């Protein structure tokens, strides 16, 4: 079946501009995660959605970042205003949250460059 | 919160030899330990995972061991092949919560 998809694959923008990244999780997966990976680094947790529960926003680096998940499916990560230090690859992952099938499956990522 | 350390950061292995990557974690509540392989320009792909109720798991040439007492787990790749060259990440989580990743190991298989 289809995996996690993310759009756009690559985005270049200027400092101060609004950025919106989209994630389509695997159909039926109730849990959705956002991570980011700076150049040469590991993945850093940003935010986690599980069903209708309040999201875990503990990883968001500042109040310039926000995310939403509509209808329990598609999610968007928003940055306003963007800054050069936000440049990274942003990954989305989803899981079914049903043990032992709770593996997190990652999308291909969105490479964000803020000039 | 959880802290995961991973060693070595780079590893070069002759084709056909074995490769071992080690990780330690800090939170005793962590009970799920996946390993991901990331190729250039792609997202991480799960290659194997282990839960705290077992000490070892194998899948063909790949195995993972877990020592809960010492809070460390290791990835073992035997009979390495050129296509094993990639960056490998270990991670830890409590159940299906957020993953805390190690800093990665760049594995190079020398033909």
């Amino acid at each position: 079946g289809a995996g996690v998809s993310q759009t756009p694959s690559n985005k270049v923008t200027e400092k101060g501009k609004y950025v919106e990244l989209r994630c389509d999780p695997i159909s039926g997966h109730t849990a959705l995660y956002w991570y980011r990976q700076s150049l040469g680094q590991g993945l850093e947790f940003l935010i986690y959605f599980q069903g209708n529960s309040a999201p875990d926003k503990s990883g968001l680096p500042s109040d310039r970042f926000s995310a939403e998940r509509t209808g329990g499916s598609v999610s968007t990560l928003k940055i306003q205003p963007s800054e050069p230090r936000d440049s990274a690859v942003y990954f989305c992952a989803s899981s079914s949250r049903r043990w032992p099938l709770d593996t997190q499956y990652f999308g291909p990522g969105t490479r964000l460059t803020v000039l | 919160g959880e802290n995961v350390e991973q060693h070595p950061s780079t590893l070069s292995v002759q084709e056909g030899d074995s490769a071992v990557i080690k990780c330690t974690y800090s939170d005793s509540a962590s009970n799920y330990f996946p390993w991901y392989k990331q190729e250039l320009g792609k997202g991480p792909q799960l290659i194997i995972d282990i839960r705290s109720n077992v000490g070892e798991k194998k899948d063909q040439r790949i195995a993972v061991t877990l020592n809960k007492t010492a809070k460390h787990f290791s990835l073992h790749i035997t009979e390495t092949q050129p296509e094993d060259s990639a960056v490998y990440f270990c991670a830890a989580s409590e159940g299906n919560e957020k993953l805390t990743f190690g800093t990665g190991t760049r594995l190079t298989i020398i033909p």
Side-chain angles (χ1 to χ4, degrees), chain A residues 1-110:
Chain A
V4 177
S5 62
Q6 293 185 245
T7 54
S9 57
N10 191 36
K11 183 168 183 67
V12 181
T13 189
E14 295 178 342
K15 177 181 176 179
K17 292 288 180 67
Y18 170 77
V19 172
E20 185 171 299
L21 312 179
R22 177 186 169 107
C23 170
D24 283 86
I26 293 173
S27 178
H29 279 191
T30 58
L32 187 147
Y33 310 78
W34 284 96
Y35 296 85
R36 73 176 176 181
Q37 184 176 35
S38 300
L39 188 63
Q41 302 298 310
L43 283 81
E44 171 192 9
F45 167 77
L46 297 177
I47 188 168
Y48 160 49
F49 295 89
Q50 169 52 38
N52 296 321
S53 303
D56 176 355
K57 304 179 182 180
S58 61
L60 293 179
S62 81
D63 56 9
R64 296 183 297 105
F65 287 73
S66 65
E68 62 181 28
R69 189 178 185 193
T70 54
S73 181
V74 171
S75 176
T76 54
L77 180 68
K78 304 173 184 180
I79 309 173
Q80 171 65 23
S82 58
E83 296 184 0
R85 59 181 166 160
D86 302 331
S87 298
V89 180
Y90 289 79
F91 290 101
C92 173
S94 71
S95 77
S96 68
R97 197 177 167 76
R98 285 179 301 184
W99 188 93
L101 302 176
D102 51 2
T103 299
Q104 292 186 29
Y105 296 91
F106 283 77
T110 294

Side-chain angles (χ1 to χ4, degrees), chain B residues 47-88:
Chain B
I47 55 171
I48 196 167
D49 57 12
I50 192 167
R51 300 176 193 277
S52 58
N53 57 339
V54 298
E56 183 175 2
K57 182 177 179 181
K58 291 185 71 174
D59 182 4
Q60 299 183 345
R61 298 186 297 108
I62 295 172
V64 57
T65 59
L66 171 65
N67 183 326
K68 285 179 59 181
T69 303
K71 296 203 200 71
H72 66 70
F73 55 113
S74 300
L75 176 71
H76 304 254
I77 306 174
T78 59
E79 302 173 17
T80 53
Q81 302 168 2
E83 53 264 37
D84 294 329
S85 294
V87 179
Y88 292 80

